[in-house]
Amino acid sequence: MNENVIALDGPAGSGKSTVARRIAEKIGYNYLDTGAFYRAVTLYLHRLFQGSSNAGTFEDWVKTSEAKNSITDAHILCEFSSGNENRIFLNGEDVSLAIRTPEITREIKHIANQRIYRDFVNKELHSLAKLHKLIMDGRDIGTEVFPDARFKFFLTASSKIRAERRTLQLKEQGIEADQDEIEREIFLRDKSDTEREIAPLYQAKDAILIDTDILSKNSVISKILEILDR
Ligand code: CDP
């Protein structure tokens, strides 16, 4: 069993990051946002693609050996902080905001379905788990990356509730967002995350399912803490 890892998987907007941050704080673990690694790899490749004279699509280009070979020059670093707000650095540049644009969110699927990029991210996650106690949120942590994690949770909620939460979260950040549009985006992301051939999103057999539709954030946190305490 990997004593250093608690896995928290689930679809977009199921509340994983907020819950993971708070739990990490309570139990003295670091929070690790694994999606941020996929975002940073996407940003890295997207910039290279835009700077190249390639006439094709990004989707096709990421499958070429030129793109695949370039990944060895991407150095991604995650900085932990006391508030558990991960800062992500790409080759020394703080890209914590740049990885969250709608454009990057749309393009991630072309990276997340390629074995080479997933192996690259997983190697980083394994190195970090050797050094730190981590609560990781993601899609495949309990199934693929750390099937031996100490605890596994799977958070879920209806797409309507998840879209409602995302819209509110964006409003709080001063960003106007259309809830129907967000729900459509969530639907498409669920589809590509659950239907991809490599490391699709699903609940591990031994993961504890938590439906956050019917539970408040605080109830979810208490429930997880109670289980961890047993
Ligand atoms: O925070 P949000 O729900 O928007 O997503 P994220 O955690 O930042 O992850 C962005 C995307 O990265 C997901 O939709 C997945 O396609 C991919 N991802 C993945 O494939 N495996 C992970 N362990 C984490 C994220």
Side-chain angles (χ1 to χ4, degrees):
M1 184 188 294
N2 192 325
E3 291 291 337
N4 272 3
V5 177
I6 296 173
L8 199 65
D9 289 309
S14 53
K16 300 182 303 287
S17 61
T18 319
V19 167
R21 266 193 203 98
R22 293 273 297 281
I23 304 271
E25 206 176 311
K26 295 259 185 212
I27 64 170
Y29 272 46
N30 284 306
Y31 162 58
L32 186 67
D33 170 7
T34 67
F37 281 77
Y38 284 95
R39 289 174 176 278
V41 171
T42 307
L43 178 69
Y44 171 77
L45 290 169
H46 201 248
R47 282 176 174 176
L48 280 185
F49 173 71
Q50 285 184 320
S52 75
S53 52
N54 202 293
T57 61
F58 181 62
E59 178 177 3
D60 289 335
W61 182 72
V62 297
K63 294 176 190 151
T64 64
S65 47
E66 184 194 357
K68 289 179 180 172
N69 291 338
S70 73
I71 198 68
T72 48
D73 292 329
H75 299 286
I76 299 169
L77 196 112
C78 173
E79 193 179 272
F80 302 118
S81 69
S82 54
N84 284 310
E85 282 296 338
N86 290 173
R87 299 212 73 78
I88 297 288
F89 294 83
L90 170 63
N91 293 338
E93 175 193 348
D94 185 345
V95 292
S96 311
L97 287 179
I99 59 172
R100 309 245 160 236
T101 62
E103 189 177 27
I104 294 301
T105 306
R106 261 196 314 274
E107 303 290 3
I108 292 177
K109 58 178 179 294
H110 304 308
I111 304 303
N113 66 7
Q114 299 292 313
R115 172 59 68 198
I116 184 157
Y117 305 124
R118 300 204 71 88
D119 286 348
F120 173 82
V121 170
N122 292 343
K123 204 167 148 217
E124 299 290 322
L125 303 182
H126 275 277
S127 309
L128 285 166
K130 285 207 175 87
L131 302 171
H132 307 275
K133 287 187 176 299
L134 298 168
I135 171 153
M136 297 190 185
D137 80 0
R139 303 292 189 284
D140 60 342
I141 305 304
T143 49
E144 280 266 328
V145 196
F146 292 99
D148 57 346
R150 189 179 147 216
F151 284 99
K152 299 180 189 179
F153 297 94
F154 193 86
L155 262 58
T156 176
S158 69
S159 57
K160 187 168 184 296
I161 295 273
R162 291 186 282 132
E164 226 171 80
R165 285 190 196 136
R166 266 291 143 93
T167 314
L168 198 72
Q169 202 180 35
L170 289 169
K171 281 216 171 102
E172 281 166 8
Q173 294 165 7
I175 304 165
E176 252 336 289
D178 176 59
Q179 194 171 314
D180 291 338
E181 181 64 33
I182 301 243
E183 194 171 343
R184 265 194 299 280
E185 187 263 325
I186 280 185
F187 171 81
L188 291 175
R189 209 129 60 89
D190 284 357
K191 192 167 156 56
S192 59
D193 280 340
T194 53
E195 291 180 1
R196 70 170 165 248
E197 275 177 30
I198 306 164
L201 167 70
Y202 70 97
Q203 184 190 342
K205 274 203 201 80
D206 51 350
I208 297 160
L209 176 68
I210 299 184
D211 184 348
T212 72
D213 251 5
I214 46 164
L215 292 171
S216 70
K217 209 179 296 167
N218 283 340
S219 316
V220 174
I221 292 165
S222 313
K223 196 171 170 153
I224 294 180
L225 285 173
E226 205 179 285
I227 294 167
L228 296 180
D229 217 28
R230 269 183 212 156

